[in-house]
Each structure stands twice: as structure tokens, then as C-alpha cells.
Amino acid sequence: MTQANFYNDEDALLGARLLPERDMQLQYLRSVCDGDDQRLRRLSQRLDEVITSSIHEDTVQDVTEIEDHLVSADSSATIGKRVGKFELINVLGRGGMGTVFLAEDIELRRCVALKIPRLESLGDASQRRRFLVESRIAAKLQHPGLVTIYEVGNDGSITYIASELCEDGDLANWIADSFEPSQEQEAALFIAQISDAVAYIHKHGVLHLDLKPSNILLRRAGQIPIDQDDPGASNAQDGNVPLSKLTPLISDFGISRSIEGDATKKDTSLVLGTLLYMSPEQLMPSLGEVGQQSDIYSLGIVLAQILGLDVHREGMSYREILKSLDEDEVSPSAVKLTGLRSDLRDILKTCTSTYPYARYASAEELAADLRSFACGDPIATQSPSTFSAFKNWLTRKARIREAWWICLGCNCVISVWMIAGIVLMLSPLFPGSNRSLALGASVALMLVNNLPMFALCGFGLRGHRWPILPSILIVGVGLVIVPTLVLTGNAQAIPGVYEEFPFFETLNHCLVLGFGLVQLLMLLIARVSIHLQKR
């Protein structure tokens, strides 16, 4: 199944609706449709209908008013409010996906972190139902590296997630407060712990899809969780505490989804999350399928930040990132890999590769390599071989455009050569004795070969993919005919054309064969590139 067909129409429309501007919505739909113009027109028309429709407008407004009341600027206004069996105490934090409250479970008399996602982040009623189902799946996960989810439910139109309360801070604060980057071995072992937890959730059929420092909570190693009967208790830490003394806990499964299931049930979480940590395929579906490798990419970016490395897309807007991906203005790795030991550089390069197939196959493999590096043992992943590097080079979209431009250039050279020959045939200087036949043959050749190739190159440069096979057929036929005539001794199909200048015959054949072979090679490269991009 090609990536163009992997997301059904409903998911594609929901994904587009989450984007703020019309041109960004259309760019996203182009990426999903992957050259299917008919589907793009259909989805664009349906998107217009959905945007102008007010089918969900009243519901969104009502629930947003409820939520805005709960998260008013005056935190004291939230005290005593009830959501389900939870009594809100205070606001712990706000984010793009919703608000996290300090709340008390009235029945069990314990404090919890209660997250209330924003309705608009869930799209519509079907997205909310999917959110509940997949969050309940995440609630069943139990691992030392995961924040425990106690309950997922809804109170009327408000959806909520109640989870273990952790007041030791998160990795984002640690990075902001730390005076200097972490040591390589220390950072590797820390990310290995997170990779263990990620491998666990993957084994249970869940993708996180929003791994970032603010979703990685910290607890001092060997420390008992804080007394949840005392909301004021806190074990706040700062960046001076080394990572070796901290245990990471993955939180916030707000946009997670199941790995298994029908393709039509794949949701639009690929366009949610924080831009810096989102994998390229989450932003542009034509680059590959959203899967386990998407979380591995995020882990690579987190590791890079712990090490104090620069990330290429840092500070870029959504539109700028999409433009760089679409125009192949990206490096093989998303991180500037300077000043690292070779093994760690290879690990980061593998994690943050633009294409999912070039990353680690599983989080377990990543964890194993990180621990091997920390212990000084050889790692399993190595720098890409020459073949792998060539394959990565072929996979980039720029190869197709470059192939068409080269074909167009070759066709121009051959056409100029033939036009010069026609002009010569029309002049008194023409040496051959069969002027009219030679002239007719040259014109006919341009009509059946050169002009169709110009048209096909034009369509190819506009992004169409169907011209590849007709172009290969036209060029291939020419490459078969010329050698056949030479080998059979029938090269002078038009007697008298080359009788005075025999070297002209050789030059003509070499020109046609040489540029024909170049065109054929470029077309084959474009065809292979298209095939690799659809994998």
C-alpha cells in the first residue's frame, strides 16, 4: 500500500483542519495525496465544505467555555471545582494539548495530576472517542519508566486523564537549568532507560508520538514517590543534579495511538506534537509510515539536546520545515554531529535519519547500542555503507527533478544538433545527393522523438509521475534502433547522406547513443527513486 493511500479521506481532512492557514492545509493534503491530483481536488473541495459548515461549532464553543472557566488566570477560581470524582486544587501547567491540574481523588483520598485536553486538539467527536480508547490502552501499561495512569474518562463533554503525581520537575527544566551539557556516557545511559520504556509500550501496541523533554518527568534514583496525601510536598530538583542520579518517567500519552489496526483507523496524530521533536513522516506522510521509528527519531533529538548539540530545524516554523522537507533542504541527520565520538555520532545519525527505514528497527536496538557505547563496547549500528548512502541519495525527491532537468538538457542538445542538420540540408552546402529524403527523415525523427520528449519532460517537472514509463520507451527504442542499424551494416538508411563526410556519420551516431544513454540512466534513477519513496 502506498503512502498516498495509507491515510483515508477522513483522517486526511482531520489532519488538515488542525493547521491554522489555508496554504498549510493544502500543502499537507498534497503530501498525503502524493501526486494523486484527483484525490487532492476531492479532498480540497471537502475541506472547504467542512470549514464552512458549523456542524461542531456549538459543541466546541460550549466545551471551550467550560474549559476556559476552569483554567482562568485566577488559579483560586479552580479550587473546589469537580471533574468526575476529582476535585481541582490548582493548575500545574498548560500546553498546546490542554491543561494539567493538581487534583484530589475524592474516593481514594489521594492527589493526582489531572489532564484535560483541549477539545480543538481532538478534532471532533470521533477523535475524542479514539482518544479515550487509546488512552485507556495506555492506562493498562505498567513499567518503571512510565508515569502510572490511574483513570481515563469523561464528565459530560470534558475528557480527562488522571495519572501519578510527579513534582520533581521534568527534563526540559533540567536542560534549561543545567550549567553545561551532560557527559556522553551519562546521557547515553539516561536515554537507554527511556528507550526501555518506549520498547515496552511498542511491544504492547502503542506509539507515544510526542516524546520531548517536557513529557519526561524526573525522579531522584532510589527515591520513594512523594507523599500524595500532601499536595504541598515537593522534591524539586535543578540542573545541578547529574542525570546518573535521576530516573526518567515518560508521561503524556495524549496523542498516542495503537500500532495495530486497519489503515483506515490510523489517526491524525502525525500532525500533532512539538515541531522540534516530530519525525519527518509525521509532518509529511509521503516520507514514510508513522510507526516505531517515529518515536526513535524523537529520542534522538532529546539525546542531542541533553548533549548540547544544535538541531537543524530549531526555531523553524511549521511552514519552513515542510518547505525544507519538500525541497530536500535537509541533511541525512537532523542534528549537527560535531565534537562527538564516532560511535555516538553513528547512533545519533541512525536515530535522526530523515527516512524511517534508515533508523533503528526498534527501541530495544537503540537501548542496546547506547549501553554498549557507555561501556566502551562495539555498537551494532555502523556508518552507512556505500550502498546505503547511495540508496539514501536515490530516495530524495530532488533526484526526480534533477533527472528530468538532465533529460531536458540532453533533448535540447540533440534537437539543436538536428536543427543544425536541417538547416545544412536546406543550404547549397549540403554534400549529400539525397537532400529531400534526408530532410524528411530528420523532421520525422524530431516529431516522433524530440517533441514528445519535450512534452514528457515538462509534465515530469510539474510533478507528474506517469511520464516516466513513456519516456523510457521512447529513449529505449531509439537506443535499440541505432546500434541495430550499425551492427547490421544498414547505418546509411538514407543513401548519399554521408558519402562525402563519413566522419559525420560516426559523430551523429555517437551523439545519439551518448545522450540517449544519459537520458535512459536518468529516467531509471527517477523510476527507482519513486519506488523507494513509496516504500
Side-chain angles (χ1 to χ4, degrees):
M1 179 178 293
T2 66
Q3 196 64 27
N5 297 321
F6 193 80
Y7 300 97
N8 69 359
D9 287 0
E10 296 303 322
D11 286 339
L13 288 171
L14 286 172
R17 287 169 58 194
L18 292 172
L19 301 175
E21 297 181 15
R22 175 63 174 172
D23 57 345
M24 295 167 66
Q25 293 171 342
L26 291 177
Q27 191 169 6
Y28 172 73
L29 290 180
R30 289 190 194 98
S31 176
V32 172
C33 294
D34 196 23
D36 188 341
D37 293 339
Q38 184 176 1
R39 187 185 183 203
L40 176 60
R41 286 192 296 271
R42 182 177 72 251
L43 289 180
S44 299
Q45 183 176 0
R46 289 190 59 189
L47 179 62
D48 292 335
E49 295 171 355
V50 169
I51 290 175
T52 55
S53 171
S54 58
I55 186 170
H56 298 298
E57 187 174 331
D58 295 335
T59 304
V60 172
Q61 183 176 357
D62 293 343
V63 179
T64 302
E65 288 177 357
I66 295 172
E67 186 183 271
D68 287 343
H69 175 67
L70 291 173
V71 297
S72 60
D74 182 8
S75 297
S76 62
T78 66
I79 297 177
K81 300 295 180 183
R82 293 280 295 271
V83 176
K85 65 176 183 177
F86 301 97
E87 182 175 314
L88 305 182
I89 299 174
N90 207 341
V91 176
L92 293 178
R94 297 182 177 91
M97 287 293 294
T99 304
V100 180
F101 296 90
L102 172 63
E104 183 181 8
D105 186 328
I106 303 301
E107 296 179 2
L108 300 179
R109 309 303 301 174
R110 67 180 176 186
C111 289
V112 301
L114 191 72
K115 179 171 183 178
I116 300 179
R118 289 192 174 277
L119 180 68
E120 56 266 33
S121 69
L122 300 179
D124 61 9
S126 65
Q127 287 294 92
R128 293 196 297 278
R129 287 194 298 271
R130 191 176 302 175
F131 172 85
L132 286 172
V133 170
E134 292 168 357
S135 296
R136 285 167 179 155
I137 293 173
K140 297 178 182 178
L141 304 176
Q142 299 292 327
H143 188 274
L146 301 178
V147 171
T148 303
I149 297 177
Y150 296 136
E151 182 179 329
V152 179
N154 54 0
D155 182 1
S157 300
I158 300 178
T159 303
Y160 63 83
I161 303 175
S163 63
E164 172 188 353
L165 179 63
C166 299
E167 293 188 333
D168 292 323
D170 56 44
L171 184 59
N173 290 330
W174 186 93
I175 294 173
D177 295 337
S178 60
F179 298 129
E180 58 184 21
S182 176
Q183 297 296 318
E184 292 182 356
Q185 291 91 338
E186 185 179 58
L189 289 174
F190 183 81
I191 296 297
Q193 294 180 68
I194 304 175
S195 300
D196 290 338
V198 172
Y200 172 83
I201 68 173
H202 286 175
K203 279 186 175 180
H204 286 75
V206 176
L207 302 174
H208 191 284
L209 298 181
D210 196 21
L211 289 170
K212 56 186 178 183
S214 60
N215 284 340
I216 299 172
L217 305 184
L218 302 176
R219 178 186 295 155
R220 292 179 191 267
Q223 177 177 284
I224 298 175
I226 66 172
D227 182 3
Q228 295 183 339
D229 291 328
D230 180 9
S234 175
N235 294 313
Q237 49 78 35
D238 55 42
N240 293 317
V241 180
L243 287 178
S244 58
K245 295 183 179 180
L246 297 171
T247 299
L249 299 171
I250 297 176
S251 67
D252 200 344
F253 286 80
I255 64 171
S256 62
R257 69 166 169 82
S258 302
I259 296 174
E260 302 297 333
D262 191 332
T264 61
K265 296 182 180 179
K266 303 293 182 183
D267 67 13
T268 53
S269 55
L270 74 164
V271 295
L272 302 178
T274 305
L275 289 177
L276 183 62
Y277 308 95
M278 292 172 68
S279 63
E281 63 273 16
Q282 285 177 268
L283 294 163
M284 183 171 287
S286 59
L287 291 175
E289 177 183 344
V290 175
Q292 297 183 40
Q293 286 72 28
S294 303
D295 283 339
I296 290 172
Y297 178 93
S298 302
L299 287 175
I301 300 297
V302 173
L303 175 58
Q305 288 200 307
I306 292 175
L307 294 169
L309 301 176
D310 293 329
V311 181
H312 291 298
R313 68 167 67 159
E314 194 161 8
M316 296 174 64
S317 67
Y318 178 85
R319 188 183 314 191
E320 290 170 338
I321 294 173
L322 276 187
K323 183 175 182 292
S324 69
L325 291 172
D326 188 52
E327 296 180 357
D328 285 327
E329 296 174 358
V330 290
S331 64
S333 170
V335 178
K336 297 177 182 178
L337 304 172
T338 55
L340 297 177
R341 283 192 282 174
S342 59
D343 281 354
L344 187 57
R345 186 169 61 246
D346 289 343
I347 290 173
L348 269 171
K349 186 183 296 183
T350 303
C351 286
T352 59
S353 172
T354 301
Y355 299 99
Y357 67 80
R359 300 178 206 141
Y360 285 96
S362 68
E364 285 179 319
E365 293 183 9
L366 171 58
D369 263 3
L370 288 168
R371 290 192 170 93
S372 295
F373 166 77
C375 296
D377 297 331
I379 62 174
T381 189
Q382 299 293 335
S383 297
S385 63
T386 302
F387 175 76
S388 297
F390 179 66
K391 182 178 179 182
N392 290 338
W393 178 84
L394 279 178
T395 307
R396 303 185 69 177
K397 282 187 174 181
R399 301 295 84 81
I400 301 175
R401 291 195 298 271
E402 291 167 357
W404 282 119
W405 278 116
I406 293 174
C407 284
L408 182 62
C410 291
N411 202 46
C412 286
V413 172
I414 295 175
S415 298
V416 169
W417 176 260
M418 294 189 67
I419 291 173
I422 292 174
V423 171
L424 177 62
M425 293 173 196
L426 293 174
S427 72
L429 300 176
F430 179 68
S433 58
N434 207 339
R435 181 194 304 263
S436 59
L437 186 57
L439 182 61
S442 298
V443 172
L445 187 58
M446 287 196 67
L447 291 175
V448 300
N449 185 292
N450 298 74
L451 291 181
M453 280 300 298
F454 275 121
L456 292 170
C457 287
F459 282 113
L461 289 171
R462 292 183 61 185
H464 297 281
R465 299 189 173 180
W466 61 264
I468 293 283
L469 293 180
S471 299
I472 291 177
L473 180 63
I474 291 174
V475 174
V477 169
L479 290 175
V480 169
I481 291 176
V482 174
T484 300
L485 292 176
V486 173
L487 292 175
T488 58
N490 297 317
Q492 289 195 10
I494 307 173
V497 173
Y498 301 117
E499 58 188 13
E500 306 241 350
F501 298 94
F503 76 91
F504 186 80
E505 175 186 3
T506 304
L507 180 61
N508 192 55
H509 291 159
C510 290
L511 187 69
V512 172
L513 282 174
F515 282 100
L517 287 171
V518 171
Q519 289 185 85
L520 183 61
L521 177 62
M522 292 301 104
L523 292 168
L524 291 176
I525 287 176
R527 184 68 189 90
V528 173
S529 181
I530 291 174
H531 173 72
L532 291 175
Q533 290 175 29
K534 288 184 177 180
R535 291 182 58 180

